[in-house]
Structure formats: C-alpha cells, structure tokens
Amino acid sequence: MNESLLVNDSSASPVAGEALPWMESSDNSSNVEFSTSPLDFPINPWDIMLCMSGTVIACENAIVVAIIFYTPTLRTPMFVLIGSLATADLLAGMGLILNFVFQYVISSETISLITVGFLVASFTASISSLLAITVDRYFSLYNALTYFSEKTLQYVHLMLLGTWGVSLFLGLLPVLGWNCLDKPASCSIVRPLTKSNVTLLATSFFAIFVLMLTLYFKICKIVCRHAHQIALQQHFFATSHYVATKKGVSTLAIILGTFGASWLPFAIYCLVGERGYPPVYTYATLLPATYNSMINPIIYAYRNAEIQRSIYMLLCGCFQSNYRSRSPSEV
C-alpha cells in the first residue's frame, strides 16, 4: 500500500510489454494511494511534477512569509490574512515535497496517514484563508468607517483561529481513524482517504466557493456604486467611470476564475470518481489544484504596492551592504 500519490500494488515490477504501474493498476484498483513497500520501477512522472510544483510553491510563499514577518508596517488585518494564506501555501508546498521524499525513501502506513493529514490540513487552511480574505475585503468596503479599529483586528484573529482550528481538525481525521487502511473497499480516489472523507472535503469546498462567489458579487456592486458616486462628485467623464469599474470587476473575475479553475475539477472528480478509475484522472485534476497555491502569492502579495516596496527596500539593503563591504583595503 503506497505512501504517496501512486497506484496500487506498486511493488510489482513491470515486465516487457506491460504498461508502467503509474499508468495502469495491476488489480484494477486505480485510486491514488500510499505505498508501504519499496519501489522497483521508474519514478512516476506525475509525482515529479507534484514535487516540482511543491518546490515552487514553497519558495514563492516563503518569501512572502519572511517579508510580512520582518516588516513592522505590515501588521494590518489585510496583511495578517495574506500572511496566513502564504503560511498555509508554504506548508502545502512542503507537504508535496515531503510526500515525494517519503514515497521513494521511507514507506509506512503511519507516514502515509501523517502525510495525507498534513496535506489536507494545509490545503484546507489555504482555501479557508482565501475565504477569510474575501470576508475581510467585503467588510472593509461595507464598514469602511469602522474598519481600521482594534475590533477589526480582533475579528481577524478570531477568523484565523477558526480557519486553522477547522483545518487542523480535518487533517487529523485520517490519523485518528477515518481512513480505509483496514477497509480497502471504502477507499476513495486518494488513498488512504475514505470516500465519505473526500466527499466531506469536496462539499466543504463547494460551500466555500459559493460563499466567496456571493461575497465577491456584493463587493462588485459596492465597487460599482462607489465608482459611480466618485464620478458624479468629481464630474468624471462616463469613459473614466467605465474604465475604473471595468478594472475592479476584472480583478474580481481573475481572483474567482483562478480559484475555480484550479480546484473545481478536482472537487468534482472527488464526488464522481471511483477507486477503480484510471489514476491519471486523479493526477490530472490534482496537479492544477496545486497551481492555486502557486498563483496565490502573485495575486495577493506580489501585486501589492506595500509588499513590492518592502521587497525593494530589502533588495536595496542587500545591495548597499554588499557595496559597502568592498572597501579600498579589500581591493
């Protein structure tokens, strides 16, 4: 039983004329699983892509976490939530890397449960942090006058506490016994998660997606109304009002479109997929889901003027430090 994202019966060696194990399962059970036996066939290319994705995710988000942590001015509710998102995505990237390492170095059922629980908790925290950012953006517009208050920061901390608490709980469920190691027939497309466990995760995702869609629709209405009021007060031309409104709506569409395009295929397949389906379907839907954690720092962090300024100051400080170290006595 495999300890990473691989097919069943991975201990069997491929013979001439047979498909590789990552292409076809030998016992017609094609769910993605975690192995407890040494591997003696070439490395699964899908696992390589997942590991590469995890490496990029970890590097991108590590920079964001470091910038927010070491910049005193980035302590507002918005940046606290962005830091939570970056931390969750950083852990998810590390989880993908560790999953690859444990797959081809160490194999045991204990590591299988810990690894899958770690990934479930990390990706759940990432999605929940996106919801928290959406809620924060809505209240920042809906209650603009009272947003910058101590009460708002307390509310953000409560949201983060709930976000990480629920994520940790969902991640511990497989470790605490909600798995299919003892009942292979109850396995889902991702072993050792059960079908009911995966259904719960997928249903939770759809609930979050619908809630985000509703909130962003309300945000869009508020943005359009504010743009119209500003246009009337400052006597803008209709074209300027249209351009400003279109830019705001386009940004919201990019955020929702990226999130939906990344996670919807995998969430839908979790509901309709069966353990006997070809594993390539699981990999083909799971890999794009990881891209959301790769795109998040670009959308929410690197496009932000404050973080850009912090990165610029950090780089300038490094360059100036290197420049000062080259004194004439060292030449």
Side-chain angles (χ1 to χ4, degrees):
M1 301 191 180
N2 205 3
E3 208 44 28
S4 134
L5 302 174
L6 282 180
V7 238
N8 296 350
D9 294 338
S10 57
S11 58
S13 301
V15 297
E18 283 188 339
L20 287 176
W22 57 268
M23 298 176 60
E24 182 179 359
S25 177
S26 59
D27 61 353
N28 200 29
S29 177
S30 303
N31 56 310
V32 173
E33 67 171 283
F34 295 78
S35 172
T36 57
S37 57
L39 301 179
D40 53 4
F41 57 88
I43 297 179
N44 188 334
W46 288 101
D47 284 328
I48 296 177
M49 288 187 287
L50 286 173
C51 183
M52 293 174 60
S53 178
T55 303
V56 175
I57 291 170
C59 292
E60 283 183 329
N61 288 279
I63 296 175
V64 177
V65 171
I67 289 295
I68 294 178
F69 183 80
Y70 287 106
T71 306
T73 58
L74 302 181
R75 296 292 185 269
T76 62
M78 177 183 66
F79 289 110
V80 171
L81 293 174
I82 292 177
S84 172
L85 174 63
T87 302
D89 288 332
L90 171 61
L91 293 177
M94 293 174 59
L96 291 172
I97 297 173
L98 292 176
N99 176 69
F100 181 84
V101 173
F102 291 149
Q103 147 85 34
Y104 294 100
V105 178
I106 307 173
S107 293
S108 72
E109 291 185 352
T110 301
I111 294 181
S112 167
L113 295 176
I114 294 176
T115 303
V116 73
F118 186 82
L119 287 171
V120 168
S122 301
F123 281 118
T124 302
S126 175
I127 295 175
S128 300
S129 295
L130 289 175
L131 175 61
I133 290 176
T134 305
V135 173
D136 177 73
R137 288 186 171 181
Y138 173 73
F139 282 116
S140 68
L141 293 174
Y142 187 77
N143 297 321
L145 297 179
T146 60
Y147 176 74
F148 294 99
S149 64
E150 189 67 25
K151 186 177 180 180
T152 301
L153 189 59
Q154 294 176 356
Y155 181 73
V156 167
H157 289 159
L158 287 176
M159 281 199 302
L160 291 180
L161 183 63
T163 292
W164 286 93
V166 172
S167 301
L168 181 61
F169 172 74
L170 293 176
L172 286 175
L173 287 179
V175 181
L176 296 178
W178 199 4
N179 57 71
C180 64
L181 294 180
D182 297 330
K183 298 179 181 179
S186 64
C187 287
S188 67
I189 58 173
V190 179
R191 195 177 183 280
L193 297 181
T194 63
K195 179 66 175 179
S196 56
N197 193 340
V198 168
T199 301
L200 172 64
L201 295 175
T203 304
S204 301
F205 164 79
F206 284 114
I208 292 176
F209 183 72
V210 171
L211 185 55
M212 288 180 60
L213 188 64
T214 303
L215 289 174
Y216 272 123
F217 178 74
K218 293 182 178 181
I219 290 174
C220 184
K221 291 177 61 177
I222 295 175
V223 170
C224 293
R225 184 169 66 249
H226 286 180
H228 180 67
Q229 292 173 351
I230 294 174
L232 292 178
Q233 293 174 1
Q234 300 185 6
H235 305 289
F236 284 169
F237 291 109
T239 303
S240 301
H241 171 221
Y242 172 77
V243 171
T245 305
K246 182 179 179 181
K247 182 179 180 180
V249 174
S250 299
T251 301
L252 298 180
I254 292 174
I255 293 174
L256 269 180
T258 301
F259 179 62
S262 299
W263 277 104
L264 276 176
F266 183 67
I268 294 174
Y269 187 62
C270 284
L271 295 177
V272 303
E274 299 292 340
R275 60 188 297 266
Y277 289 0
V280 65
Y281 297 160
T282 303
Y283 282 113
T285 54
L286 177 61
L287 186 62
T290 65
Y291 293 161
N292 186 66
S293 296
M294 192 183 302
I295 299 174
N296 281 339
I298 299 175
I299 295 179
Y300 295 95
Y302 293 131
R303 294 176 67 247
N304 185 278
E306 294 292 333
I307 292 182
Q308 289 178 357
R309 187 178 299 111
S310 298
I311 295 176
Y312 176 76
M313 292 177 62
L314 177 63
L315 294 178
C316 287
C318 292
F319 291 149
Q320 291 175 2
S321 176
N322 292 335
Y323 177 77
R324 286 194 298 269
S325 65
R326 294 173 61 90
S327 60
S329 61
E330 296 174 343
V331 178

